[in-house]
Amino acid sequence: MDAQHCKMNGDPFQESMYIEESSNKSGVISLIFSLKEEVGALAKVLRTFEEKGINLTHIESRPSRLNKDEYEFFINLEGKNVPALDKIIKSLRNDIGATVHELSRTKKKDTVPWFPRSIQELDRFANQILSYGAELDADHPGFKDPVYRARRKEFADIAYNYKHGQPIPRVTYTEEEKKTWGTVFRELKSLYPTHACYEYNHVFPLLEKYCGYREDNIPQLEDISRFLRTCTGFRLRPVAGLLSSRDFLAGLAFRVFHSTQYIRHASKPMYTPEPDICHELLGHVPLFADPSFAQFSQEIGLASLGAPDDFIEKLATVYWFTVEFGLCKEGDSLKAYGAGLLSSFGELQYCLSSESEIQPLVLEKTAVQKYPVTEFQPVYYVAESFKDAKEKLRKFAQTIPRPFSVRYNPYTQRIEVLDNAKQLKNLADTINSEMGILCNALQKIK
């Protein structure tokens, strides 16, 4: 493992990770396993490899920072040992009680894609944007505007230099930028009472009161991020442009939303070919302050961690038709909760008109629906409620083929991989403690 994997943001590597890195040497299999610190433990492991005729080409050890009574071992095996590998891993887990993570193998289907295990690791991919940023496509409204392009570079530099834990730099927006924001803010706000869901309309006045949401003011990401953390633990992080679906969804697993700071070109205030601060702050932010919606968003992110590429595509499509363009029932009427709708004056009206096609939210069907990016959607899916959407997502996530489950630990801000008995026991203890609190509270209510 290189130094980047062994040391992250100044902190020693604390627990083994599933990694798929291009730097793996051809024909080499790598494993990490942990053992209790006791006499003869390593000897048993080495004997197991010897009995199977497996040659170790490299081995190193380190004290486990996760469990003080354990040691972690990193080993390399020759690629020719692949046929016996499954038996070895089974023996290490069942006969010796080791916790084993396979890091690489020549068989592609057995490799789990890398995913962040700590919130600091979001720094690793936050600048790997797919498009826009400081560069603009030829059909972008600001492509021929040198002043706008220079301004976009300023915003991109802020995002590129940002690291987790830092306050988000404040931006002094120009009068032209504030005028563009004001036009969008005024037009959309007139529709929210009749078109947006209850949860959105409940939060919006709070953003006006605490975060500077006004027609003549573009709110600062840092102020909003602090507000969201007090509501649901969500936070914002500046980004220069579009991330890959895998990276963007991984952020949600930590309750981190990657947000742009730049604004659309002034020549077309009611149109943008990309997410901008109007879309982020008017479309996404309000519902991140709602506990139920925040949990739904995080569960999409958790479901994506270590998922195969084809399921990432399905989860991204589910995200598109829910978090971006979702509708929900509210009494006898339909309301919008999708950010793409709540930040688009034209589509917000269209989606609730008699012209649009409405279907119930069935994730197996929704996940494979094709969609355009720059046009009104061909179909909108309706959830009975956020709770209903969460339950459907949980069932859908169970179909994702990965050899473990995950949970987010909000105290350590880390992802815990639930793939061994000790992790499951720790989880059971946590649940048991919470159940005790619940039972005690119910008795007092009676």
Side-chain angles (χ1 to χ4, degrees):
M1 298 180 72
D2 60 31
Q4 184 178 6
H5 295 153
C6 295
K7 191 171 185 179
M8 303 171 297
N9 299 294
D11 296 326
F13 187 88
Q14 293 189 1
E15 52 184 301
S16 48
M17 301 188 303
Y18 293 85
I19 304 174
E20 181 181 24
E21 298 284 1
S22 58
S23 60
N24 285 328
K25 296 179 180 179
S26 177
V28 175
I29 302 166
S30 300
L31 298 177
I32 280 183
F33 61 89
S34 57
L35 296 172
K36 288 187 177 181
E37 187 177 4
E38 57 186 32
V39 177
L42 181 59
K44 292 180 182 178
V45 172
L46 297 178
R47 194 177 304 117
T48 300
F49 285 113
E50 184 180 4
E51 291 172 353
K52 301 293 184 182
I54 291 179
N55 183 34
L56 303 186
T57 60
H58 178 81
I59 182 169
E60 60 183 82
S61 65
R62 54 187 170 234
S64 173
R65 294 290 297 273
L66 185 63
N67 300 304
K68 293 183 179 180
D69 61 341
E70 291 185 356
Y71 264 76
E72 290 181 343
F73 297 86
F74 173 75
I75 62 174
N76 284 337
L77 320 174
E78 293 180 349
K80 65 182 181 181
N81 299 133
V82 166
L85 187 58
D86 289 329
K87 292 182 179 179
I88 282 288
I89 292 176
K90 184 177 180 180
S91 178
L92 290 175
R93 287 173 173 164
N94 298 339
D95 301 336
I96 300 177
T99 299
V100 186
H101 293 327
E102 179 184 348
L103 303 185
S104 62
R105 194 195 297 206
T106 54
K107 294 188 295 181
K108 188 174 181 179
K109 69 182 182 65
D110 292 316
T111 305
V112 178
W114 177 89
F115 59 87
R117 293 286 293 276
S118 70
I119 196 169
Q120 291 84 359
E121 287 187 89
L122 298 184
D123 289 343
R124 287 186 61 177
F125 60 72
N127 293 330
Q128 297 175 12
I129 59 173
L130 302 179
S131 61
Y132 296 113
E135 301 298 324
L136 302 177
D137 287 348
D139 59 349
H140 192 285
F143 179 73
K144 296 181 179 180
D145 184 342
V147 175
Y148 182 79
R149 291 171 67 93
R151 183 64 165 157
R152 285 293 293 268
K153 186 179 185 304
E154 292 178 26
F155 287 110
D157 288 343
I158 290 174
Y160 287 142
N161 292 317
Y162 180 81
K163 298 297 181 183
H164 171 75
Q166 298 175 345
I168 302 173
R170 295 180 177 273
V171 174
T172 301
Y173 288 97
T174 66
E175 289 303 314
E176 183 179 65
E177 289 168 337
K178 288 190 283 188
K179 183 179 179 181
T180 300
W181 163 270
T183 300
V184 178
F185 184 91
R186 182 176 60 254
E187 296 294 332
L188 285 170
K189 188 179 176 183
S190 68
L191 292 179
Y192 291 152
T194 53
H195 289 65
C197 65
Y198 167 81
E199 292 82 357
Y200 185 95
N201 284 315
H202 174 71
V203 171
F204 200 85
L206 299 177
L207 294 169
E208 292 179 302
K209 182 177 180 179
Y210 297 109
C211 299
Y213 272 54
R214 300 194 310 272
E215 184 178 331
D216 63 348
N217 178 67
I218 302 177
Q220 297 291 332
L221 294 192
E222 178 64 20
D223 295 337
I224 298 167
S225 190
R226 290 180 180 179
F227 173 78
L228 290 178
R229 289 202 296 272
T230 66
C231 297
T232 61
F234 249 92
R235 67 183 69 208
L236 303 183
R237 175 183 179 123
V239 69
L242 295 172
L243 292 171
S244 70
S245 295
R246 183 181 293 281
D247 291 345
F248 178 80
L249 294 177
L252 295 179
F254 295 85
R255 297 205 172 200
V256 172
F257 179 74
H258 288 81
S259 173
T260 56
Q261 278 183 297
Y262 55 78
I263 196 164
R264 61 197 63 183
H265 194 262
S267 64
K268 293 186 176 181
M270 301 309 290
Y271 168 76
T272 177
E274 58 184 324
D276 74 331
I277 200 165
C278 296
H279 171 74
E280 318 285 38
L281 302 195
L282 297 175
H284 283 289
V285 161
L287 285 176
F288 284 135
D290 177 77
S292 186
F293 182 83
Q295 186 177 8
F296 173 69
S297 299
Q298 183 180 31
E299 292 200 16
I300 293 180
L302 289 169
S304 75
L305 300 180
D309 290 342
D310 56 333
F311 273 85
I312 289 294
E313 183 177 353
K314 291 179 180 179
L315 284 169
T317 304
V318 168
Y319 178 91
W320 182 265
F321 283 110
T322 54
V323 178
E324 289 288 356
F325 291 95
L327 300 177
C328 62
K329 290 185 178 180
E330 202 166 281
D332 296 328
S333 60
L334 298 180
K335 300 292 183 180
Y337 71 88
L341 301 174
L342 294 165
S343 60
S344 170
F345 185 79
E347 193 160 9
L348 184 53
Q349 296 176 85
Y350 171 79
C351 71
L352 296 177
S353 72
S354 58
E355 300 177 31
S356 65
E357 180 180 346
I358 307 295
Q359 293 186 19
L361 182 64
V362 179
L363 294 191
E364 291 74 16
K365 181 178 180 180
T366 305
V368 295
Q369 172 67 45
K370 301 299 181 182
Y371 58 86
V373 176
T374 58
E375 302 173 7
F376 288 178
Q377 298 306 300
V379 59
Y380 301 93
Y381 293 96
V382 181
E384 296 291 327
S385 62
F386 292 151
K387 180 180 179 181
D388 170 63
K390 278 190 295 186
E391 291 302 319
K392 289 179 177 177
L393 176 64
R394 287 168 182 165
K395 291 180 180 179
F396 181 76
Q398 291 174 0
T399 67
I400 298 175
R402 58 183 181 184
F404 52 81
S405 295
V406 297
R407 71 182 290 266
Y408 178 63
N409 187 325
Y411 304 109
T412 62
Q413 296 182 318
R414 296 183 65 84
I415 298 297
E416 296 178 352
V417 175
L418 306 176
D419 64 349
N420 61 74
K422 185 167 185 177
Q423 289 281 13
L424 297 181
K425 182 181 182 302
N426 291 340
L427 176 58
D429 290 342
T430 300
I431 295 173
N432 185 54
S433 176
E434 294 294 322
M435 287 298 296
I437 296 173
L438 175 61
C439 291
N440 182 261
L442 289 173
Q443 290 176 354
K444 291 182 177 181
I445 291 176
K446 293 178 180 179

